Amino acid sequence: MTDISKSTTPANKVRVRFAPSPTGVLHIGGIRTALYNYLLAKQQGGSFILRIEDTDQGRYVPGAEAYIAEALQWCGMIPDEGPGFGGEYGPYRQSERKDIYRHYALEMIEKGTAYYAFDTPEALDAQRQADPNFKYGAAVRMSLENSLTLGLEEAERRIAAGAPWVIRLKVVENETIHIHDLIRGEVTFQTSELDDKVLLKSDGMPTYHLANIVDDHLMKITHVIRGEEWLPSTAHHVLLYRALNWEDTMPQFAHLPLIMKPVGNGKLSKRDGAKLGIPVFPISWKADKPEDAVVGFREYGFLPDAVVNFLALLGWSPGTEQEIFSMEELSSAFSIEKISKSGARFDFDKAKWFNQQYIMARDNATLAAMVRPIVEAHGHQPEAAFLEAFCGLMKERVTVLPEFWDNGYYFFEEVHSHDLSGIAKKWKKEQRPVFDLLLEAFSVLSQFDVENLKAATDQFMAQNELKTGDVFPVLRVALAGTMKGPAIFDMMALLGKAASVKRLQNAFDYFDQAI
RNA sequence: GGCCCGUUCGUCUAGGGGUUAGGACGCAGGAUUUUCAUUCCUGUAACACGGGUUCGAUUCCCGUACGGGCUACCA
């Protein structure tokens, strides 16, 4: 068991935790929760702790923990403590802390703030069937099978005899619980509305409620920043802190608004991504069943900084008009009080805008490193200088990484198809000899750079009484197959003389027979 | 149903008792550009409703409506 007396942590040091359960993929909402925790920790010089809440053996998904760790790392949020990350408050997997929880559950029985209960899940389900408002609480606990009605001795005899049992919190009667939430302010609950939550399950594992309170206490957590879905059970958590005599060091609570579906009603769910063809997960997940597989922002071609920036502003605002924030800027500007109270709709257009901003701002070498795998996947191994120059030409024209290829593949291989709609009226067979003159002019250029190409073209246009509108679109479609793209001379200079001239020639031949 | 939370442009939000209610995304138009994109400019569009309190309420209070969450031996 963790011995807190040996801890070297200063009493006032901020310690926050991100505590997901490894039941599958973590969507963007979870990442945002982690981010807000991380930002507070970094800002305060505190610690960001990853704790794996794997107390539900039935829902455990192998690989989910590794997924969570990888997703956090991709986003640039490396835990200071956690499974595989070290730390002096471990173990950080709740399944490895069973004895600790049992110890405190038993302590509560001794103090009379908890009791053994023997009603099976089936029996309770039957009760709920009969009465939809059934609640295992003060009003009914004296008429059910538990150590309150049976007596502790009889209860222990049953347990010794092998009867299945749980431990439940004995919620105190007729009290008002006040919670000061950092985001919502004062929130109150009547204990008469609360049920006697199971603390220790019949399989010996704790429920979220017990494990959470015990771990947050032992790990010296100072701020609990978690989703709004936990607000209703916070009253139980306060009762638990009280029952264990830890109320004076209870962490502060901040309940985050949820992220809502891009379209329709309700909170963002796993299915929304597949339904709309957009990513709602940080990174991809390859599931056993194909229908469970998901694509992540990473694989979709987002930069982690862009995702972080987008997420930070989805439900939080610094109060200034700044939109672009590095992780460092976020952590210095962050404040829990400025988190908004209402749910924020997931806006993929805005996510793309952030990504475009980050791509444009990145230097060519960095982009080249990100784009290389995409280009290589299409069977090309460009030289570093070429790829960097390519990125420089394309980066203002893409919003996600794969578009470097989609919109610029013609820098690596021949044009797949020519869009003739823009030049059909401009291309005239009788002008072919004239364009051949331009090809000739290009061919004799000693320096195949932008200035010389421009000079040669200007001269050509002047001599043949042609306007840019007669020439440039033709060159563009011939070179790229499309009317969109970087400046023509930039393209040609990068392609090089031989490739440019040959490509123009072939395209002109094609135009002659196609138009 | 019960309990809890929320409600400013289509979306993310700033603001806050007296403002032309600000910014961003998106959309529309324009300028620049050989094209696309970038950049710049302009436009579009909001305080859910009803009562209070107040000289004055979008801002404070109460209701209503609507939205959200919880209501498991899941987290």
Side-chain angles (χ1 to χ4, degrees), chain A residues 133-347:
Chain A
N133 288 323
F134 172 80
K135 184 177 65 193
Y136 201 130
V140 301
R141 65 179 164 232
M142 293 315 288
S143 58
L144 291 161
E145 290 198 18
N146 53 50
S147 59
L148 264 20
T149 54
L150 265 26
L152 198 52
E153 273 182 38
E154 169 61 15
E156 279 165 354
R157 199 155 36 237
R158 282 197 186 198
I159 289 168
W165 54 278
V166 300
I167 292 179
R168 283 182 182 271
L169 170 68
K170 188 181 174 193
V171 172
V172 294
E173 291 177 62
N174 300 317
E175 274 194 45
T176 302
I177 306 293
H178 297 264
I179 293 157
H180 181 77
D181 187 275
L182 263 13
I183 296 172
R184 282 150 220 287
E186 214 63 22
V187 181
T188 59
F189 295 90
Q190 302 301 325
T191 58
S192 57
E193 301 282 351
L194 271 28
D195 64 336
D196 288 354
K197 284 258 180 282
V198 169
L199 266 20
L200 206 66
K201 300 185 270 189
S202 55
D203 65 0
M205 280 290 192
T207 57
Y208 171 88
H209 309 289
L210 207 220
N212 200 256
I213 267 57
V214 168
D215 287 348
D216 283 348
H217 174 76
L218 295 179
M219 295 179 183
K220 294 189 139 187
I221 299 303
T222 57
H223 301 260
V224 170
I225 304 171
R226 78 225 300 193
E228 193 182 19
E229 68 268 29
W230 295 110
L231 188 51
S233 54
T234 306
H236 284 104
H237 302 162
V238 171
L239 255 16
L240 277 166
Y241 280 108
R242 229 177 249 182
L244 289 163
N245 254 301
W246 295 337
E247 203 178 1
D248 54 336
T249 56
M250 187 171 73
Q252 294 204 268
F253 294 101
H255 289 93
L256 268 22
L258 270 16
I259 296 180
M260 314 304 284
K261 290 182 189 299
V263 294
N265 294 156
K267 62 174 176 176
L268 183 68
S269 77
K270 181 178 172 175
R271 286 273 159 246
D272 292 319
K275 210 161 57 190
L276 298 160
I278 60 178
V280 298
F281 298 92
I283 59 180
S284 287
W285 169 262
K286 290 171 189 62
D288 297 339
K289 286 178 282 181
E291 66 266 30
D292 290 339
V294 302
V295 293
F297 273 91
R298 180 177 66 184
E299 290 72 15
Y300 203 92
F302 278 77
L303 308 193
D305 325 48
V307 175
V308 163
N309 197 155
F310 163 66
L311 249 24
L313 261 24
L314 197 60
W316 170 81
S317 154
T320 66
E321 289 182 353
Q322 185 177 350
E323 298 279 339
I324 303 295
F325 289 86
S326 65
M327 188 70 99
E328 290 66 35
E329 289 173 315
L330 284 174
S331 66
S332 68
F334 185 71
S335 86
I336 293 179
E337 290 73 20
K338 284 195 148 329
I339 292 172
S340 56
K341 294 178 176 67
S342 49
R345 198 178 279 280
F346 179 89
D347 182 358

Side-chain angles (χ1 to χ4, degrees), chain A residues 451-471:
Chain A
E451 296 81 69
N452 284 304
L453 285 164
K454 182 176 183 335
T457 307
D458 284 346
Q459 194 184 14
F460 163 79
M461 290 192 297
Q463 284 171 351
N464 296 282
E465 295 183 340
L466 288 168
K467 292 199 276 286
T468 50
D470 304 319
V471 179

